Each structure stands twice: as structure tokens, then as C-alpha cells.
Amino acid sequence: MIKTISTTPYTDQKMGTGGLRKKTKVMMQPNYFENFIQTIFNTIGGVKGKTYVVGGDGRYFNDIAIQKFIKMAAANGVAKLIIGQNGYMSTPAGSNVLLKNKTNGAFIFSASHNPGGIDNDFGVKYSDETGGQVPTSITDAIYKNSQSISEYQILDVPDVDISKIGTQQLEGMTIEVIDPIKDYVEMLEGIFDFEALKKLFKSGFTMKFDAMNAVTGPYGKRIFEEILGAAPGSVINATPKPDFGGLHPDPNMVYAKELIGIMYGDNAPDFGCANDGDGDRNMILGKKFFVSPSDSLSILTDNYKLIPAYKNGIYGVAKSAATSTAVCRTAKALGMDCYEVPTGWKYFVNLMDSKRITFCGEESFGTGSSHIREKDGIWAILFWLSIIAATGKSVEEITKEHWKKYGRSYYIRFDFEGIDKAVADKLMADLETKLPSLNGKKFGEYEVSEAAPFIYNDPVDGSSTKNGLVVKFADGSRIVYRLSGTGTSGATLRVYMEKFEQNHLDEEPLNMLKDIAKIAAEIAEIRPRTGKQQPDVIT
Ligand code: VG1
Ligand code: CO
């Protein structure tokens, strides 16, 4: 029975860098989630006869959200939903299922790397038929329409059992519950040489994969332990939990504490890696060795020939402006184009669809290729394992040889969290006004060569996006400032810094960048304006 429910708008349903992200309790307000879903349906001209992929990272409210979604989809005339068993599906797996089945889009319920639970965050990622999250023109339209929604449609029926694989009908809509891992594994088998990886583990190679109690635990168990033969127990924090067991599922040196302890401990395995809440981010570690995500992208690019799917050649590469310039040096040496886009994976989609790029990545632990239209944590891990299998070298050796070949971009990111939004906005606005006056100015040995907002003109759809402020120095060092678009309380100022070195390759990034960090704080008046003496998180 279809019911039409009257509702009143919420005014804050603006999607940020990775979909709509809110405190779980905000999402749980009466009609909040329903309003947002119905607004998307309305904005895209209805969903009658369409097919969608649905899943989530298993966080608190995932199960309830999926049931609401199923009933709203049926009431709005959707022809078919493809749902991950028990409502689980990682973001990359969802993009793959979408592309493979040529569906009209996907809804993944996740706040990605944000913590989960009733007192933390929930989110909705919406992708269209491209396989990627929708462009700003559409998120703007959704936001606009969310201001005037007055009703939504939903079925008045009991919850649907999505615990068993198979097909069922719900008032004219087909529901196919799938094993969310099977298709994903098939896709990866089509890219990498699984036999070579099995040999690697047979030879005694050891690894730890930290799934951070989030969605990729079962993927990791199946792929690394069951298929490739990594020792049982290689996957830690492998059971998805609604609150991620209290972990902050952001795979970095600060939050992946258990893994860091293991990799920097006495009996460290050969390889360490982690994913975020929804499986699109990755961190790569060797024994007592950390690979910065910007370097990782550059190293994967340099080794594309080792991977069956890419060995005959790749198109260009792309990085977000905040990511270090390492990959662009590598691309240049290989004779490829290197694009620079705003932060957020959606900006890579047009470049992939138009065959301008194959690989892309962000400093925030995201790496991927055109096999799907999202970043892909396990893909990046398998790529690294493949390089190790082919070269017989350690993570540290591979990285250091890369630096020797191309030089090293020392890189660091400071996050200043929980700043009053008005203070953060004013800091950015005033800094932007000040930028022209910085040109040519000297700070000790560093001379500003260019200071301007980062503006991206999409070569495919012609849209123009401003994202962050960039200060470049004559020696190639850079500072990028931007405000986060994924936070759910206050504002987070991110300051990204890099310095290029050809000779001194074994220094501490924090030490190499200490002067740049001082200049960054001074230029933006971070201390006087925010009261913060130090960043809250350094990655
Ligand atoms: C952050 C990262 C960005 C990433 C985004 C979504 O955004 O900096 O690189 O694309 O999260 O990641 P922001 O606006 O807070 O800096 V996630 O893993 O959705 O999926
Ligand atoms: Co994520």
C-alpha cells in the first residue's frame, strides 16, 4: 500500500565532498532521511522503471535507512534494486555493480572515514549512471529542491528480509540481494595476476590488513586470506560493527593505531595496509615505513606496466590540487598528461569517461583507476602487492628507489578542527584578498612565485570550480589551504604543504617542512584567528 506523507523541508541538506554527511541523530529526525531521498528522486525526473544499487558500510542506522529506502523506491515506481546481502556494500564494490549491470545509479549509506554510532555520523552517497558521485550542478539542484519538499511516497509494509541471496518481489519492484564481494573479486581478478600474488604468499610473505571494524573486513578475509593464501589472522578488526568498535575508521598514522603498533613493532610483517569505513581509502606501510598517499599514486603510475590490465599502456593521470606534485613528475617522465582537479572524487569522472586519464588519487589516502568511478582501497593494496611480487623488493626499497629516480616531495597535512564556521570563512576570505600582495614576497629563503585561488575548468563539461587557495614558492614548495566539506560540526581548516628535494631523501617530513609550516601559519594568521597553537591532526 503506497502512502503519501506530508512533510516540511529541512534547510541543511547540502551535499559536500562525499555526499550528504550529518550527525546520526540529525539523520534520524522525523522525515529527514525520507525528505532527502525523495528530493533526489524528484530532482532527477523521477525513478519510475529505473534500477539502482543499494548498500552501506554497516554503520549505525544503515539497516533502518535501507528499509526506508526500499519502501520509498517501490512506492516511487523503481523497477529493480540490487542490494548487498544484509545491506553491506563498499563504495568501490557499489560502483562496480552499478557499471557492470548498467544501472541508473547507486545509493551507498556511509559517512566514509567519519566515526559511526548514534553519537557520530551517518551519510548518503549518491552516484548516477556514470558510476561516480554526481557533479555539483546536480547536488546544487538537489539542495535547492530540498528547500521546498512537501510530501514523499512510501510503502506501508513490513521490513523486507535482505539476509538471503536471491530475488524477490515487492509490489511490482524486483529486489535482488547479492553477495557484495563476488562481483568485486571477479573485477579485481580481471585486473591483477592473482596467481603471482598467491605465489608471493606461498613463499612466506606476511601482511596485516586493518579493516577498522568497517565494511571491508569480509572483503579482506575473502581476498587476502581465502583466495590469495595470506595467513589466517592477516586481517584484523575484520567484523563490521555499527560503531566500528569505537574506532575512527580513517586509515592514517593517527587513527589506525593497532596496525601502526604492529608495523613499527619488533615482529612486523612484510606489508601493512588499512581501509576506511566504506573501503575507498587505503594506507600502505612497510616494516617501520609509511608511504605517503601522494607518493603511492606516483609509484603506482611508474609501475603500471607490471599489471596485466594496464601493461599495454594507460591514458594520463590526475591528482587533486592538494595532493603533492610527485605524480606529475612521474607522468612527465613517462610522457603522459597530468591533470589537477579540486578535492573530491567526482572531478575525476569526466576525465576517465573521456579517456584522458586512467589513474588518479588524493592525498587523503584515496587512489584508484578507471576500472570504476570511485577510489578503491583494496585495488591499491593489490597493486602494491603486485609490484612487490614482480620486483621482489620491499615497500621501503620500492619507495626509496622511486625517490632516487624522480626526487622526493616531502609532504604533510595539518588539520585544524572544530573552528567556529564564521571564523574559518573569514580566515579564508581575508587570505584570498591578501594573496595578490604576497607575489614576489620573501619569507627567509622562500620567495613566493604565485599566490592565487585554485580554479578548475573542466575540459569536458566546461564547468568552473574554485577550491582552495594556493601559495607557490620559487623552489617548487607549495602551501594549499582549504576548508573541509565532510565535517559535521564546526569547520576544519586543512593546510597542505610540500617541498621538493632532489638530494636529501631521508629526512623527517615534519622537519623538512617546518619553515613552510611557519610561513603557512603566519600568512593565514592561523594562531591569532583560531586560538590554535598546533594542528589537531597531522597526516
Ligand atoms: C575529504 C578528503 C577528500 C575526499 C573526501 C571524501 O574531504 O579531503 O580528499 O575526497 O574526504 O572521502 P574534505 O572536504 O573533508 O577535505 V571519503 O573516503 O568519502 O569517501
Ligand atoms: Co571513504
Side-chain angles (χ1 to χ4, degrees), residues 481-536:
Y481 302 86
R482 56 178 287 281
L483 297 181
S484 160
T486 59
T488 55
S489 54
T492 294
L493 170 67
R494 302 203 198 282
V495 183
Y496 312 83
M497 293 161 282
E498 72 171 287
K499 178 180 167 68
F500 177 65
E501 274 289 336
Q502 190 78 61
N503 301 313
H504 306 283
L505 301 176
D506 278 318
E507 307 296 327
E508 271 305 306
L510 211 48
N511 193 33
M512 289 302 274
L513 286 158
K514 67 175 187 301
D515 293 338
I516 297 282
K518 258 189 219 142
I519 298 168
E522 183 187 324
I523 293 177
E525 301 166 15
I526 294 174
R527 268 171 219 147
R529 285 170 183 265
T530 69
K532 285 182 185 283
Q533 300 300 318
Q534 295 296 334
D536 298 280

Side-chain angles (χ1 to χ4, degrees), residues 7-11 13-14 35-46 137-151:
T7 187
T8 46
Y10 288 92
T11 53
Q13 299 191 327
K14 194 175 178 116
N35 275 11
F36 185 63
I37 298 299
Q38 186 69 51
T39 302
I40 295 179
F41 289 173
N42 297 348
T43 306
I44 58 177
S137 56
I138 297 180
T139 59
D140 284 351
I142 292 168
Y143 179 53
K144 186 167 166 263
N145 292 338
S146 72
Q147 311 293 317
S148 59
I149 185 160
S150 60
E151 59 179 47

Side-chain angles (χ1 to χ4, degrees), residues 467-482:
N467 189 260
L469 307 173
V470 186
V471 179
K472 290 184 191 161
F473 298 90
D475 75 335
S477 298
R478 303 191 318 149
I479 304 169
V480 178
Y481 302 86
R482 56 178 287 281

